Amino acid sequence: MAPPVLVRLARTRDRVLRSAPASWLRAVARRLTPRRVRVRFAVLFGLLFIASGAVLLGMTYLLVNRPTHSSVVKYEINGDADRQPTIHIQPGGQGGDAPPPEFALDAQLRDQAARMHEAQMHDLLVQSCIALAIMACLSVVLSWLLARRVLRPMRTVTAGIRSISARNVHERLAVEGPGDEISDLADSVDGLLDRLEAALESHKRFVANAAHELRTPLTVERALLEECLLDPDATADSFRENFERLLRISTHQGALLESLLTLAVSERGMDRTEPVDLAEVVESVLLTQLPPDHRHGVRIVDRTEPAQVAGDTALLERLVANLVHNAAYYNVPDGTVDVTVRCHGRHAVLTVTNTGPAVPEERVDQLFEPFQRMSRTAGDGHHGLGLSIVRAIAAAHDAALSARPGPHGGLVVELSFPLLVKDGERYEIWPQPRAATASK
């Protein structure tokens, strides 16, 4: 019995030998295929002309060379002019009996006509092939020039795309001409550049705001440390007071960095999902993550019903906590926060409403941008990232987010998640979102 190593080597050799012809053919096909589109167009148009010309010449040859039935007519003119000439008709054709002696000359003429016809057909075939070869060469040349003409706008688009970088992302291709495929491609590229420019501007604003938010506490920390070092009369109590302030600032920075990390993770998306009950998430957040001293005297009312969605439990808890905490913080004294979870058609709808101050309608969309808030208060622990994190988590869960000012002040935020329905032992998303269905 052969050793296992030799057996594995033999199997590997057989597998390589079996796959070698296919891989060799693919490699040859890749090498023979022209890489430039212009060459492909010229070759394709030339082959198409040759094929259509060959078919046309073949049909013409067959039609001209079609066998015909001929007859030999023999006139006998008598000496009497008043009498009609005698006409003898001998059918000509293929096979049959030999012609009578009086038609021998006619048979020779017929054979000579057949040979002449064969010679003419041969000359027709040769000359047609020569003409086809000449026209094939001309068609390849004309196809090359035509492809160059057709692809000229494409070269303009390519050159324009190559010239655009992060420094001149505001430039556009702006291709003029008829509304053909190349114009549609240029318009699509311009639209992509518009979205890219908006994303880059948003990223720049985010970085600038994050740097500003981090620079302020760092400046305060430096001032407190310098005060301790430069004050010769500093006491243990002053050191303790400064250290307590430094600890609060450090906690503030840690919360900011945690929010930035959550925002980054939410925008990246989810690797896997699991069935989550929105009602249980709301109850858990209200019981564990929002103690009474964080509610600022605001009464929170929750009305929930079971609603299964596909998502990440930790991210959904952060979404609900941010919504409820913002609704409680930006509120009026003795106000209320109404949290509802309901099933509406094919969606699970989460709604958070508060009785806070009036929110201008034009500022609603701005509140979901990073570092945007209604009012800035130093040391309030708010960075303007709560609603932006909510938007990122909603996008990761394929949820539709909408917000509008409340009729009596405050804000109404509504999120519509694709509903999970149980089918036997599995949960299926209804309707199907972009993400894959999660099994129980």
Side-chain angles (χ1 to χ4, degrees):
M1 183 177 181
V5 176
L6 296 180
V7 173
R8 288 196 296 270
L9 288 175
R11 291 177 179 175
T12 304
R13 180 199 61 192
D14 295 340
R15 186 166 59 253
V16 170
L17 290 177
R18 285 195 302 269
S19 62
S23 60
W24 181 78
L25 290 176
R26 287 193 296 268
V28 172
R30 284 195 299 267
R31 289 183 177 275
L32 293 179
T33 302
R35 296 186 178 181
R36 300 188 63 85
V37 179
R38 183 179 177 184
V39 179
R40 295 180 186 176
F41 279 171
V43 173
L44 179 61
F45 293 157
L47 293 178
L48 181 61
F49 177 83
I50 293 173
S52 59
V55 172
L56 179 61
L57 292 179
M59 294 176 62
T60 303
Y61 182 83
L62 292 177
L63 291 175
V64 174
N65 197 31
R66 184 178 58 180
T68 58
H69 298 282
S70 60
S71 300
V72 177
V73 181
K74 183 177 180 181
Y75 292 87
E76 291 185 359
I77 303 177
N78 300 320
D80 191 355
D82 296 334
R83 298 181 59 184
Q84 295 293 332
T86 304
I87 301 175
H88 300 274
I89 301 177
Q90 170 64 32
Q94 312 299 325
D97 298 333
E102 60 269 18
F103 284 95
L105 179 60
D106 300 325
Q108 293 177 3
L109 294 175
R110 185 169 57 250
D111 293 339
Q112 184 178 0
R115 289 193 297 271
M116 292 177 60
H117 177 72
E118 291 179 0
Q120 291 175 353
M121 294 305 300
H122 180 268
D123 294 340
L124 174 64
L125 181 61
V126 173
Q127 294 173 4
S128 300
C129 292
I130 295 174
L132 179 62
I134 295 174
M135 291 305 300
C137 296
L138 291 177
S139 66
V140 171
V141 175
L142 293 177
S143 301
W144 175 269
L145 299 177
L146 181 62
R148 180 181 180 180
R149 175 70 177 178
V150 171
L151 295 177
R152 183 179 300 172
M154 185 66 69
R155 293 196 299 272
T156 304
V157 172
T158 303
I161 294 175
R162 289 177 177 174
S163 64
I164 295 176
S165 62
R167 296 182 178 180
N168 59 344
V169 72
H170 61 279
E171 297 182 0
R172 298 295 179 266
L173 301 177
V175 175
E176 299 179 356
D180 53 7
E181 289 80 0
I182 297 179
S183 178
D184 294 340
L185 175 62
D187 294 340
S188 300
V189 173
D190 287 341
L192 175 62
L193 291 175
D194 289 336
R195 296 189 295 271
L196 181 60
E197 183 182 10
L200 288 176
E201 291 297 329
S202 176
H203 177 71
K204 290 178 181 178
R205 290 195 302 269
F206 178 82
V207 172
N209 292 329
H212 176 73
E213 293 286 340
L214 291 172
R215 183 179 60 182
T216 301
L218 288 175
T219 304
V220 176
E221 285 182 352
R222 182 181 180 86
L224 292 175
L225 292 174
E226 289 178 349
E227 180 182 351
C228 295
L229 294 176
L230 298 178
D231 187 4
D233 300 328
T235 62
D237 293 337
S238 64
F239 273 104
R240 179 179 295 274
E241 182 181 357
N242 285 343
F243 288 157
E244 289 177 352
R245 295 174 64 184
L246 288 172
L247 182 60
R248 288 195 298 270
I249 294 174
S250 178
T251 304
H252 178 84
Q253 288 179 306
L256 175 59
L257 292 176
E258 182 67 25
S259 298
L260 292 174
L261 180 61
T262 303
L263 180 61
V265 171
S266 302
E267 290 181 343
R268 184 187 63 189
M270 298 178 297
D271 296 332
R272 68 180 187 87
T273 59
E274 59 183 0
V276 181
D277 191 344
L278 274 182
E280 294 181 359
V281 170
V282 171
E283 296 295 336
S284 174
V285 169
L286 295 181
L287 291 176
T288 61
Q289 299 190 29
L290 290 175
D293 57 343
H294 285 182
R295 299 186 181 184
H296 304 284
V298 175
R299 184 169 60 93
I300 298 179
V301 180
D302 62 297
R303 297 188 298 272
T304 61
E305 63 180 64
Q308 292 282 345
V309 299
D312 183 90
T313 303
L315 290 179
L316 289 175
E317 288 180 351
R318 184 61 183 270
L319 178 145
V320 175
N322 284 2
L323 285 176
V324 177
H325 185 69
N326 280 312
Y329 184 82
Y330 297 101
N331 213 315
V332 296
D334 300 328
T336 59
V337 174
D338 192 2
V339 184
T340 62
V341 175
R342 58 189 175 89
C343 295
H344 179 70
R346 301 182 179 184
H347 297 85
V349 182
L350 168 66
T351 307
V352 178
T353 307
N354 70 334
T355 55
V359 180
E361 187 172 358
E362 63 272 8
R363 290 211 58 189
V364 172
D365 292 337
Q366 298 178 2
L367 295 177
F368 289 88
E369 296 294 331
F371 302 104
Q372 298 293 326
R373 51 191 181 216
M374 288 296 298
S375 60
R376 290 184 174 270
T377 304
D380 61 353
H382 287 253
H383 315 290
L385 291 173
L387 293 182
S388 60
I389 292 175
V390 168
R391 185 181 64 177
I393 295 176
H397 287 78
D398 294 306
L401 172 65
S402 62
R404 63 183 184 276
H408 304 291
L411 196 66
V412 179
V413 181
E414 184 175 278
L415 293 102
S416 180
F417 295 85
L419 187 65
L420 275 178
V421 294
K422 192 169 184 179
D423 183 15
E425 297 298 325
R426 295 177 60 86
Y427 283 100
E428 293 185 355
I429 298 178
W430 189 34
Q432 293 289 338
R434 292 188 298 271
T437 304
S439 59
K440 184 176 179 182

